[in-house]
Amino acid sequence: MPDHLFGQLATGGGSPEALAFLERGERARRLLLLRTLLDRLDVLPTPLTPPARAWAVVKEAAEVAPHTVEQLLLAPSTGSWLGHVLRRSHGTSSGPPMWAEAGHLCALAVVAAVRAGTTADLLVPLMNSALHLPGLGRLQLPGVGPHPTVGRARVDGGEVLVDLPGAPGVTPVRCRPATVPAGTPGAAASAGPHWLPLRTLALPAAAGGGTVLLDDLDPYRDLDEPVPAERLDDDEALAWQRLFDEALELLGAGTGNGLDTMDGPGRLVPAAVRVVVPWGRTATTPPPPPFVRTSATSGDAYGAMVISRPATAVGLAETLVHEFQHSKLAALLHLFELIDDDRTECHYAPWRPDPRHLPGLLHGAYAFTAVTGFWRDRLADDPGSPVAAYHFALRRLQTRLVVRTLLGSGRLTAPGRRLVSGLAATLDGWLRDPVDVAALTRARTAAALHRTEWRLRNLVHEGPSAGPRLRSCAHRWADTRTHAFAEPPAAPRTADEYLAAGDFAGAVSRYATLLAGTPDDPATFAGWIVARAALHPGRGDTRRALARPELLTARPRGEAGAEGSD
């Protein structure tokens, strides 16, 4: 990689040239993995078309339509399938019969022939009575059972005919497979009774046009093992298109800092997103939460992201930025060894409830540098926004803490240290940006709350000479405060609201009352510790309690609780 491109990526951003280099690296890796898998499949017994013949069909299609077939082989779901089947060959993953999963290569060959307009005749795996055609959709065969079955697919002129060999009672099904726009209600139903097409999200003309796959069908759309289809209804698909449009419009507006490019941390070239996998809901009811609750990315599937749809464009836009950043770092990790670590989960990550290993911290630092940049752009778009000011202040503080942990770990390689030092330089520059005092105070309070509660839940103190150790059975907990502190409450009622409003004495009193009834609740105890430290910032006991809350054993005495001891 040219030095200047690595330098761009080390800021947390990256030019189109840098992204193109990462994509070339992913292409080389994908082809190597394909070659490895083909070698292993040669010795696998199969009732389907042999892998060598299926691959020959792919090559024939590539001679006619090289770019189209290459896009198929580089598709995120192809990478997920490759990674999964190779893990199965090592015994580290599970799934349906191996012949059926390996036979996905035959389905890829069918798609290659369809897209190139060539002919093919292949024995293919039918799963759950259907043939899945990657990037296109599912062809359902009535009368076929749910278990893996051998079907026959014939392709000619872009049309597919599928039947069941030796089963004259099963009616052959014919279709011309194609995707349909998510923003066109009823388009999927018009495709016929047996063809279930994938939908696409339209990219705006200003971004160069094109589409992004909205994949609710592919068995390899998740992070590892195959998953069943979870079909969105038309209204939910339309809601995705509308929200996607709004999110991209928001991302395109982020030029308030005097920048007219999309290269910086927190910005996104829309075409870089290849696939969005909707997660957790198939209908518009009940209404979704404002922010994304679940999102994920796999290093095997560059440009794809699993996302639970939020109610707000800002929630989706932030997640698109966040998850693509993970794709970028995964591609970098395929080119460079950035960190040498035994993956011991013992480090604090301000956005997680559980201890993390150093590779996880590196991913978090890279992703949240971009998230910080995203909120910086939102603040530039609307300087009076308390929400943007809060999130920018919070994420720059939390991410810089993790960067410091990484730099002090002694486990970064030379390229890794250069990358993380670049992130540090970006964040240090942003730490000098002025932020509204009230928003900054709420951000610091929220950061302290998360760290304090994390230590109370994950660490246990075993005496003055032993120091803290990680709990062996710590339970996951939901962080509800990060978003709750984004706006100051107009009329505080709860202890958390008094703390968010900056009424520290009122917060201490209310936390103390709660602790009288539930003295062992870590969330309430964390709130009391943070509120006391804010109320008495110069006292040694409150500072010590905030630094090492797991050492504190005494709870507040009485309702006031402001003078509780260590």
Side-chain angles (χ1 to χ4, degrees), residues 318-339:
E318 178 189 18
T319 303
L320 292 173
V321 167
H322 179 140
E323 294 302 335
F324 186 66
Q325 200 76 349
H326 283 302
S327 276
K328 285 164 57 182
L329 183 62
L332 264 180
L333 285 164
H334 293 155
L335 298 174
F336 298 97
E337 185 178 5
L338 299 176
I339 196 164

Side-chain angles (χ1 to χ4, degrees), residues 68-104:
T68 298
V69 174
E70 176 146 313
Q71 289 302 107
L72 172 66
L73 297 180
L74 299 184
S77 65
T78 304
S80 293
W81 166 72
L82 266 173
H84 169 70
V85 176
L86 285 171
R87 284 188 290 274
R88 283 204 67 178
S89 71
H90 288 289
T92 58
S93 191
S94 59
M98 186 62 171
W99 66 263
E101 292 220 83
H104 189 71

Side-chain angles (χ1 to χ4, degrees), residues 214-543:
L214 184 66
D215 195 343
D216 52 2
L217 299 177
D218 197 303
Y220 300 102
R221 68 190 186 279
D222 194 16
L223 302 185
D224 183 17
E225 297 185 2
V227 293
E230 292 187 359
R231 186 62 168 175
L232 307 185
D233 65 25
D234 279 351
D235 288 342
E236 179 66 6
L238 183 59
W240 264 104
Q241 181 65 70
R242 289 171 175 166
L243 196 68
F244 192 67
D245 290 342
E246 294 171 11
L248 294 189
E249 183 178 358
L250 183 69
L251 286 166
T255 57
N257 289 309
L259 301 175
D260 57 2
T261 74
M262 300 302 288
D263 299 356
R267 295 172 187 167
L268 178 70
V269 176
V273 180
R274 305 288 175 79
V275 178
V276 171
V277 177
W279 198 256
R281 59 185 299 117
T282 58
T284 55
T285 56
F291 288 91
V292 172
R293 285 184 176 168
T294 301
S295 66
T297 304
S298 167
D300 291 325
Y302 180 85
M305 47 196 74
V306 175
I307 302 176
S308 61
R309 182 176 69 83
T312 62
V314 70
L316 179 58
E318 178 189 18
T319 303
L320 292 173
V321 167
H322 179 140
E323 294 302 335
F324 186 66
Q325 200 76 349
H326 283 302
S327 276
K328 285 164 57 182
L329 183 62
L332 264 180
L333 285 164
H334 293 155
L335 298 174
F336 298 97
E337 185 178 5
L338 299 176
I339 196 164
D340 175 22
D341 183 60
D342 60 5
R343 302 184 75 83
T344 300
E345 296 181 328
C346 60
H347 300 283
Y348 171 61
W351 33 78
R352 297 276 303 207
D354 50 341
R356 295 293 284 157
H357 44 59
L358 285 175
L361 281 193
L362 180 61
H363 260 285
Y366 201 68
F368 276 93
T369 297
V371 169
T372 307
F374 169 84
W375 284 110
R376 183 174 185 257
D377 282 345
R378 304 291 74 73
L379 185 58
D381 295 337
D382 182 5
S385 168
V387 174
Y390 164 82
H391 282 293
F392 172 56
L394 175 67
R395 294 313 189 189
R396 70 180 180 179
L397 175 66
Q398 292 178 323
T399 310
R400 189 60 179 88
L401 174 66
V402 171
V403 164
R404 185 174 68 186
T405 300
L406 288 165
L407 290 173
S409 68
R411 307 305 294 269
L412 294 170
T413 64
R417 176 163 286 276
R418 184 182 175 197
L419 179 77
V420 178
S421 296
L423 301 181
T426 296
L427 293 163
D428 287 344
W430 291 344
L431 282 166
R432 293 190 286 269
D433 287 358
V435 176
D436 172 72
V437 173
L440 183 61
T441 300
R442 293 197 310 280
R444 288 172 173 168
T445 301
L449 275 171
H450 188 280
R451 178 185 176 277
T452 302
E453 186 171 354
W454 186 94
R455 293 187 72 93
L456 289 173
R457 290 182 182 273
N458 289 289
L459 299 180
V460 60
H461 185 62
E462 295 187 324
S465 59
R469 67 167 176 82
L470 288 170
R471 295 181 186 273
S472 58
C473 57
H475 298 291
R476 294 180 67 88
W477 48 282
D479 171 25
T480 60
R481 286 162 157 165
T482 292
H483 287 300
F485 275 59
E487 294 187 82
R493 292 175 297 130
T494 67
D496 276 359
E497 288 174 353
Y498 272 86
L499 184 57
D503 185 345
F504 303 128
V508 167
S509 174
R510 284 160 178 78
Y511 285 128
T513 300
L514 291 172
L515 286 170
T518 55
D520 296 322
D521 178 51
T524 303
F525 195 29
W528 179 76
I529 291 170
V530 171
R532 278 181 78 232
L535 185 62
H536 304 291
R539 280 178 30 178
D541 61 335
T542 61
R543 290 200 306 270

Side-chain angles (χ1 to χ4, degrees), residues 127-148:
M127 309 287 285
N128 296 313
S129 69
L131 171 62
H132 181 77
L133 298 179
L136 294 174
R138 286 167 59 92
L139 186 60
Q140 198 78 23
L141 256 74
V144 177
H147 303 295

